[in-house]
Amino acid sequence: MRRYVIAGNWKMNMTPAKAQALINEMKPLVAGKDNCDIVLCVPAIDIPAAIEAAKGSNIKIGAENVHFKASGAYTGEISAEMLVEAGVEYVVIGHSERRQYFGETDQTVNLRTLAALNAGLKAIVCVGETLEQRELGYTETLLKFQTKMALTNVTAEQMKNVIIAYEPVWAIGTGVTATADQADEGNGYVRAAVAEMFGADIAAQTTVQYGGSMNDKNAAELLSKENVDGGLIGGASLKSAAFSAIVDAAQ
Ligand code: PGA
């Protein structure tokens, strides 16, 4: 009913030459693993090299951010049109690191999501609670709020191109993974928010990933959960063996 998506998020790692080498290493390891979509979201400057390296394989290339304006005086930013012309198919939006370090808000996440979708990109929209919010008991409220804010003015038709990644902030890059039940629960809140906005059918068809210290050891258990339809993977996407093992777990 809905498709698994295993996506790497390289963050600020890998030069273009290293990107090419890593993708060449990964290609044979993930070849024919077609039970999920396989995506690598890479730094903007790596995009041409990554697309070249991934050509003819089942690896799709994504960006890590997109600006919400079509063009203009926004020094340092990259538009959806630029990404599309470069051959990018996916883009990560609203990652917690961007929310934390680069002033990303629920409103700009929404604007970026709309810009990406209107350009025909697939949006991987990130939501997630901090440890403090979890301990205060606000996880469900926060996840539903972030999800609904991000998807405001998105059409039912465009939801086909939306993937949501539930990434508890306390689990990102910390080595602390949410338990499979916590991941399932968080993803369930996200899906419930989608259902409240778009109805049960669209919610049932929407891919909701888990992200936060997913690796080759814990992927199978996380992916076995009803509401976990894939992963957004940071650290483990920088190693071909670990990433391909996660792809294997999604088969
Ligand atoms: P991590 O990062 O797998 O290194 O925890 C996940 C993410 O930030 O998307």
Side-chain angles (χ1 to χ4, degrees):
M1 191 162 196
R2 50 185 180 256
R3 207 160 152 77
Y4 275 30
V5 180
I6 300 295
N9 171 20
W10 283 2
K11 312 191 178 187
M12 196 172 74
N13 294 293
M14 297 283 147
T15 64
K18 286 179 182 162
Q20 207 148 19
L22 181 57
I23 292 171
N24 282 330
E25 235 177 80
M26 283 179 176
K27 277 195 290 190
L29 300 177
V30 302
K33 308 280 167 66
D34 291 331
N35 202 33
C36 62
D37 289 334
I38 303 169
V39 185
L40 292 172
C41 299
V42 307
I45 200 157
D46 293 353
I47 287 170
I51 286 186
E52 184 59 31
K55 229 174 229 163
S57 78
N58 55 345
I59 297 175
K60 299 179 165 79
I61 301 302
E64 298 179 8
N65 189 24
V66 61
H67 194 60
F68 38 87
K69 294 286 190 181
S71 64
Y74 303 99
T75 303
E77 293 296 321
I78 294 175
S79 73
E81 185 189 10
M82 293 170 191
L83 295 177
V84 169
E85 192 172 313
V88 165
E89 293 177 69
Y90 291 76
V91 59
V92 177
I93 295 173
H95 191 279
S96 65
E97 286 150 17
R98 295 215 59 87
R99 294 179 191 256
Q100 192 177 346
Y101 305 131
F102 302 103
E104 196 80 68
T105 65
D106 287 313
Q107 194 190 12
T108 57
V109 169
N110 175 234
L111 292 173
R112 287 180 212 273
T113 301
L114 293 170
L117 294 173
N118 289 335
L121 292 164
K122 292 186 168 66
I124 302 178
V125 178
C126 303
V127 298
E129 83 288 1
T130 62
L131 189 57
E132 189 189 13
Q133 289 162 337
R134 171 167 284 266
E135 285 172 348
L136 287 167
Y138 294 149
T139 302
E140 178 176 1
T141 306
L142 196 279
L143 291 180
K144 286 188 163 179
F145 180 78
Q146 284 187 343
T147 302
K148 289 182 178 183
M149 285 291 286
L151 300 180
T152 299
N153 294 325
V154 170
T155 66
E157 182 62 23
Q158 286 176 322
M159 282 302 292
K160 291 188 180 117
N161 284 331
V162 171
I163 294 162
I164 303 168
Y166 166 49
E167 299 206 306
V169 177
W170 46 271
I172 295 178
T174 55
V176 180
T177 319
T179 64
D181 286 336
Q182 285 171 325
D184 195 42
E185 182 181 64
N187 283 28
Y189 295 146
V190 168
R191 199 179 308 286
V194 174
E196 285 164 22
M197 284 182 92
F198 297 97
D201 285 355
I202 287 178
Q205 285 160 25
T206 300
T207 297
V208 184
Q209 300 173 315
Y210 167 78
S213 300
M214 189 186 270
N215 59 39
D216 45 333
K217 309 277 185 306
N218 58 30
E221 194 191 351
L222 289 162
L223 293 169
S224 73
K225 290 293 173 180
E226 166 73 23
N227 278 309
V228 180
D229 314 318
L232 184 58
I233 299 127
S237 73
L238 298 168
K239 295 172 212 130
S240 56
F243 187 70
S244 64
I246 297 171
V247 169
D248 284 341
Q251 293 311 298

